[in-house]
Amino acid sequence: MARLDVLENFHGILFPGHLHTQESLQRALEFPFQDTDVLIVSYPKSGTTWMQEILTLITSKGDPYLSQTVPNWTRAPWLEQHYCAAVLEASSTTPRVITTHLPHHLLGPTLQGSKAKVIYVSRNPKDVVVSFYHFHKMAKFLPDAGSFPEFLNQFLEGTLTFGSWFDHIKDWTSQTAASDNMLHITYEEMSLDLPGTIKRVSSLLQCPLVEEEVNSCVKHCSFSNMKTNRMVNYTLIPEEIMDHSKGSFMRKGKIGDWKNMFTEEQNRYLRSVLKAKMQGCNLEFVWEEQDEEETQ
Ligand code: A3P
């Protein structure tokens, strides 16, 4: 399945035709969730792969065997991608870990009534857009990124593939706040307190870990270990699909890399769009204070 130049317009949102079809997207909306399922939800480049690794390690009690022998897309397939059903059928793992980038207005109704656990992963939008921009340069199944100012405008307008970051985070987090089965974890929290994050996730999963197991999880999902782990660094993907000479999936793994890309004007503009679009949203962003201080 190449379809590298195809984009699927599904309910007004563009999805890369490589791995997504109208049928696979529609099937996602009819997916029969089981109460034992664990669903990772994120906008792209927010730390999805990191959370997949954390979940594999927690459910393996810190043992890295699975994370070093099975690709992340088989351990935690994307619900909306065409191979998902086949992967889940072939797997006997409990809990099933499933990943999705779908917005809440599409997937929310499917989840309704299910006790599946949801982990929403978010990240500072400035770091998201920078990471996404670099990823567009290597991922041949994504449209040409163009210049950074053009790309940033598309991000702010919500016209990139996977739709609007603002709608995604607003709609999903309005749910996570109200449910015991849902957790909102930020990339920044993972960066600043990885052991704490692992404990929060293991508690949601009711999968208690002893200190030694937590330490092993921390070690194996560090940026340096994931960068060299072929099961998560995407070097298993052939050059025709990802041009590894143009960058690496495990690129920098840092908070605040946006400062190397954004002009002061772009920063001010994003902040004003953020303020307008997030009106009425009670989320407190861990990165906001830090950004504020640095731009004063
Ligand atoms: P950068 O491009 O800023 O480096 P996703 O998995 O949602 O596509 O997100 C990819 C981003 O998460 C990339 O960000 C990648 O480097 C970062 N990432 C993945 N694993 C990480 C880890 N263990 N520690 C820190 N960042 C990680």
Side-chain angles (χ1 to χ4, degrees):
M1 175 151 183
R3 304 201 328 142
L4 298 178
D5 295 328
V6 180
L7 288 176
E8 292 289 355
N9 184 330
F10 186 68
H11 293 262
I13 297 177
L14 296 176
F15 292 86
H18 175 64
L19 302 183
H20 299 86
T21 62
Q22 289 294 322
E23 294 71 32
S24 72
L25 288 156
Q26 185 54 42
R27 235 183 293 128
L29 304 196
E30 292 156 17
F31 185 73
F33 281 101
Q34 296 173 4
D35 287 350
T36 48
D37 288 341
V38 181
L39 182 67
I40 301 171
V41 185
S42 65
Y43 189 85
K45 314 320 286 179
S46 302
T48 323
T49 317
W50 199 1
M51 186 52 78
Q52 289 173 326
E53 200 72 342
I54 290 173
L55 280 172
T56 300
L57 287 161
I58 289 176
T59 52
S60 307
K61 301 259 175 197
D63 180 347
Y65 177 75
L66 265 186
S67 68
Q68 291 172 355
T69 51
V70 182
N72 61 315
W73 56 84
T74 305
R75 287 185 259 132
W78 272 261
L79 183 62
E80 56 274 20
Q81 298 185 350
H82 76 93
Y83 62 83
C84 183
V87 169
L88 291 179
E89 241 166 67
S91 154
S92 54
T93 322
T94 316
R96 300 190 302 187
V97 178
I98 302 166
T99 308
T100 187
H101 289 320
L102 288 174
H104 184 265
H105 74 271
L106 292 182
L107 196 60
T110 319
L111 269 169
Q112 207 153 35
S114 150
K115 292 199 180 75
K117 296 186 166 64
V118 174
I119 301 172
Y120 185 72
V121 185
S122 73
R123 184 182 191 185
N124 184 340
K126 295 181 217 174
D127 285 332
V128 168
V129 70
V130 168
S131 178
F132 211 11
Y133 179 66
H134 289 290
F135 187 55
H136 271 64
K137 293 190 179 167
M138 67 178 300
K140 293 188 171 175
F141 51 85
L142 291 173
D144 188 18
S147 69
F148 183 67
E150 284 164 353
F151 189 83
L152 179 60
N153 275 337
Q154 285 179 274
F155 177 78
L156 296 177
E157 285 161 1
T159 52
L160 292 176
T161 51
F162 302 98
S164 160
W165 177 87
F166 302 96
D167 293 346
H168 204 281
I169 186 165
K170 244 190 327 194
D171 294 350
W172 275 110
T173 57
S174 72
Q175 303 299 311
T176 50
S179 167
D180 290 343
N181 281 333
M182 294 188 174
L183 211 54
H184 175 197
I185 301 243
T186 64
Y187 180 96
E188 291 73 22
E189 182 183 344
M190 296 195 266
S191 291
L192 298 171
D193 181 14
L194 189 51
T197 304
I198 289 168
K199 287 177 195 164
R200 276 184 80 200
V201 175
S202 72
S203 159
L204 176 80
L205 265 53
Q206 293 170 327
C207 179
L209 301 176
V210 297
E211 210 56 30
E212 202 181 308
E213 292 164 344
V214 173
N215 294 341
S216 180
C217 292
V218 169
K219 175 178 162 197
H220 293 290
C221 69
S222 68
F223 184 72
S224 55
N225 272 326
M226 284 180 63
K227 194 172 171 64
T228 51
N229 180 357
R230 297 206 71 201
M231 298 298 135
V232 283
N233 68 12
Y234 285 88
T235 54
L236 293 177
I237 304 292
E239 288 289 326
E240 309 87 78
I241 296 170
M242 271 192 203
D243 186 344
H244 301 285
S245 71
K246 299 251 170 77
S248 38
F249 182 89
M250 295 290 166
R251 196 180 58 91
K252 288 201 176 167
K254 289 212 167 0
I255 297 178
D257 187 43
W258 64 269
K259 289 170 205 141
N260 296 315
M261 262 335 246
F262 272 65
T263 61
E264 267 182 40
E265 195 186 335
Q266 286 166 341
N267 186 26
R268 267 197 302 274
Y269 183 52
L270 186 142
R271 291 183 72 83
S272 68
V273 175
L274 185 74
K275 202 169 167 195
K277 295 218 186 215
M278 300 303 268
Q279 241 174 25
C281 172
N282 294 326
L283 269 183
E284 277 180 30
F285 296 114
V286 280
W287 38 264
E288 204 163 40
E289 224 169 275
Q290 197 184 351
D291 283 1
E292 196 96 57
E293 279 163 17
E294 274 151 19
T295 51
Q296 273 168 4

Short mmCIF file of all heavy atoms in Angstrom, two decimals, residues 44-50 123 131 187 221-223 226 249-253, ligand 1:
data_model
loop_
_atom_site.label_atom_id
_atom_site.label_comp_id
_atom_site.label_asym_id
_atom_site.label_seq_id
_atom_site.Cartn_x
_atom_site.Cartn_y
_atom_site.Cartn_z
N PRO A 44 -0.71 14.34 16.17
CA PRO A 44 0.65 13.91 15.81
C PRO A 44 1.74 14.79 16.42
O PRO A 44 1.55 15.99 16.61
CB PRO A 44 0.67 14.05 14.28
CG PRO A 44 -0.76 13.92 13.86
CD PRO A 44 -1.57 14.50 14.99
N LYS A 45 2.85 14.15 16.72
CA LYS A 45 4.07 14.78 17.24
C LYS A 45 3.96 15.27 18.69
O LYS A 45 4.73 16.11 19.13
CB LYS A 45 4.55 15.95 16.35
CG LYS A 45 4.57 15.67 14.87
CD LYS A 45 5.05 14.31 14.51
CE LYS A 45 6.53 14.12 14.64
NZ LYS A 45 6.89 12.71 14.27
N SER A 46 3.03 14.70 19.41
CA SER A 46 2.83 15.13 20.80
C SER A 46 3.50 14.19 21.80
O SER A 46 3.43 14.42 23.02
CB SER A 46 1.33 15.18 21.11
OG SER A 46 0.68 16.06 20.24
N GLY A 47 4.10 13.11 21.31
CA GLY A 47 4.70 12.13 22.22
C GLY A 47 3.98 10.79 22.19
O GLY A 47 4.08 10.00 23.14
N THR A 48 3.32 10.52 21.08
CA THR A 48 2.54 9.29 20.89
C THR A 48 3.43 8.04 21.05
O THR A 48 3.09 7.12 21.82
CB THR A 48 1.96 9.26 19.46
OG1 THR A 48 1.57 10.57 19.08
CG2 THR A 48 0.82 8.28 19.35
N THR A 49 4.53 8.03 20.32
CA THR A 49 5.42 6.85 20.31
C THR A 49 6.01 6.63 21.70
O THR A 49 6.19 5.49 22.14
CB THR A 49 6.55 7.09 19.29
OG1 THR A 49 5.98 7.65 18.12
CG2 THR A 49 7.28 5.81 18.96
N TRP A 50 6.29 7.73 22.36
CA TRP A 50 6.82 7.65 23.73
C TRP A 50 5.80 6.97 24.65
O TRP A 50 6.13 6.08 25.44
CB TRP A 50 7.16 9.07 24.20
CG TRP A 50 8.10 9.16 25.36
CD1 TRP A 50 8.69 8.12 26.03
CD2 TRP A 50 8.56 10.37 25.97
NE1 TRP A 50 9.50 8.62 27.02
CE2 TRP A 50 9.44 9.99 27.01
CE3 TRP A 50 8.33 11.72 25.75
CZ2 TRP A 50 10.08 10.94 27.82
CZ3 TRP A 50 8.97 12.66 26.55
CH2 TRP A 50 9.83 12.27 27.57
N ARG A 123 1.03 18.29 23.90
CA ARG A 123 2.36 18.94 23.94
C ARG A 123 2.19 20.39 23.54
O ARG A 123 1.25 20.73 22.79
CB ARG A 123 3.28 18.22 22.94
CG ARG A 123 4.71 18.68 22.92
CD ARG A 123 5.50 17.92 21.86
NE ARG A 123 6.94 18.14 21.98
CZ ARG A 123 7.84 17.68 21.12
NH1 ARG A 123 7.48 16.96 20.08
NH2 ARG A 123 9.12 17.94 21.31
N SER A 131 8.08 20.07 15.30
CA SER A 131 8.34 18.65 15.11
C SER A 131 7.63 18.13 13.85
O SER A 131 8.19 17.38 13.05
CB SER A 131 7.87 17.89 16.36
OG SER A 131 8.06 16.52 16.21
N TYR A 187 3.49 15.98 27.23
CA TYR A 187 4.88 15.66 26.86
C TYR A 187 5.83 16.28 27.88
O TYR A 187 6.83 15.68 28.27
CB TYR A 187 5.13 16.23 25.45
CG TYR A 187 6.51 16.00 24.90
CD1 TYR A 187 6.76 14.92 24.06
CD2 TYR A 187 7.56 16.86 25.21
CE1 TYR A 187 8.03 14.71 23.53
CE2 TYR A 187 8.82 16.66 24.69
CZ TYR A 187 9.06 15.59 23.86
OH TYR A 187 10.32 15.38 23.34
N CYS A 221 12.68 3.69 28.22
CA CYS A 221 11.96 4.64 27.34
C CYS A 221 12.63 6.01 27.38
O CYS A 221 12.01 7.02 27.03
CB CYS A 221 10.47 4.69 27.63
SG CYS A 221 10.06 5.40 29.18
N SER A 222 13.90 6.04 27.72
CA SER A 222 14.64 7.31 27.63
C SER A 222 14.81 7.64 26.15
O SER A 222 14.76 6.75 25.29
CB SER A 222 16.01 7.18 28.28
OG SER A 222 16.81 6.30 27.50
N PHE A 223 15.03 8.90 25.85
CA PHE A 223 15.20 9.31 24.45
C PHE A 223 16.37 8.57 23.81
O PHE A 223 16.26 8.06 22.69
CB PHE A 223 15.42 10.83 24.38
CG PHE A 223 15.52 11.34 22.98
CD1 PHE A 223 14.39 11.41 22.18
CD2 PHE A 223 16.73 11.73 22.44
CE1 PHE A 223 14.45 11.87 20.86
CE2 PHE A 223 16.81 12.19 21.13
CZ PHE A 223 15.67 12.26 20.35
N MET A 226 15.40 4.96 23.05
CA MET A 226 14.41 4.86 21.97
C MET A 226 15.01 5.26 20.63
O MET A 226 14.64 4.73 19.59
CB MET A 226 13.17 5.69 22.31
CG MET A 226 12.29 5.01 23.36
SD MET A 226 10.82 5.94 23.78
CE MET A 226 9.93 5.99 22.24
N PHE A 249 13.22 10.31 12.97
CA PHE A 249 11.94 10.38 13.69
C PHE A 249 12.21 10.81 15.14
O PHE A 249 11.55 11.70 15.66
CB PHE A 249 11.24 9.00 13.66
CG PHE A 249 9.91 9.04 14.35
CD1 PHE A 249 8.77 9.36 13.65
CD2 PHE A 249 9.81 8.80 15.72
CE1 PHE A 249 7.54 9.44 14.30
CE2 PHE A 249 8.60 8.88 16.37
CZ PHE A 249 7.46 9.20 15.65
N MET A 250 13.19 10.16 15.77
CA MET A 250 13.61 10.57 17.12
C MET A 250 14.57 11.73 16.91
O MET A 250 15.79 11.56 16.85
CB MET A 250 14.32 9.41 17.84
CG MET A 250 13.43 8.23 18.11
SD MET A 250 12.21 8.62 19.36
CE MET A 250 11.12 7.22 19.12
N ARG A 251 14.04 12.92 16.75
CA ARG A 251 14.80 14.05 16.25
C ARG A 251 15.60 14.72 17.37
O ARG A 251 16.80 14.58 17.44
CB ARG A 251 13.80 15.04 15.61
CG ARG A 251 14.39 16.10 14.71
CD ARG A 251 13.26 16.97 14.17
NE ARG A 251 12.50 17.58 15.25
CZ ARG A 251 12.75 18.77 15.80
NH1 ARG A 251 13.74 19.49 15.35
NH2 ARG A 251 12.01 19.26 16.79
N LYS A 252 14.92 15.44 18.26
CA LYS A 252 15.63 16.12 19.36
C LYS A 252 15.11 15.68 20.72
O LYS A 252 15.85 15.61 21.68
CB LYS A 252 15.47 17.63 19.24
CG LYS A 252 16.28 18.23 18.11
CD LYS A 252 16.49 19.71 18.34
CE LYS A 252 17.36 20.30 17.27
NZ LYS A 252 17.34 21.77 17.31
N GLY A 253 13.78 15.47 20.80
CA GLY A 253 13.21 15.01 22.06
C GLY A 253 13.31 16.02 23.18
O GLY A 253 13.53 15.65 24.33
P1 A3P B 1 10.87 16.04 18.19
O1 A3P B 1 10.63 16.04 16.71
O2 A3P B 1 10.63 17.39 18.81
O3 A3P B 1 12.21 15.49 18.55
P2 A3P B 1 4.97 11.35 17.99
O4 A3P B 1 5.42 10.03 18.48
O5 A3P B 1 3.67 11.81 18.58
O6 A3P B 1 5.02 11.43 16.51
O7 A3P B 1 6.01 12.44 18.55
C1 A3P B 1 7.34 12.48 18.09
C2 A3P B 1 8.11 13.44 18.97
O8 A3P B 1 8.32 12.83 20.26
C3 A3P B 1 9.50 13.75 18.41
O9 A3P B 1 9.79 15.08 18.85
C4 A3P B 1 10.35 12.70 19.15
O10 A3P B 1 11.72 13.00 19.18
C5 A3P B 1 9.71 12.79 20.54
N1 A3P B 1 10.02 11.62 21.39
C6 A3P B 1 9.81 10.32 21.15
N2 A3P B 1 10.27 9.56 22.14
C7 A3P B 1 10.82 10.41 23.05
C8 A3P B 1 11.50 10.22 24.31
N3 A3P B 1 11.72 9.03 24.82
N4 A3P B 1 11.91 11.34 24.96
C9 A3P B 1 11.69 12.58 24.46
N5 A3P B 1 11.07 12.81 23.28
C10 A3P B 1 10.64 11.73 22.58
#
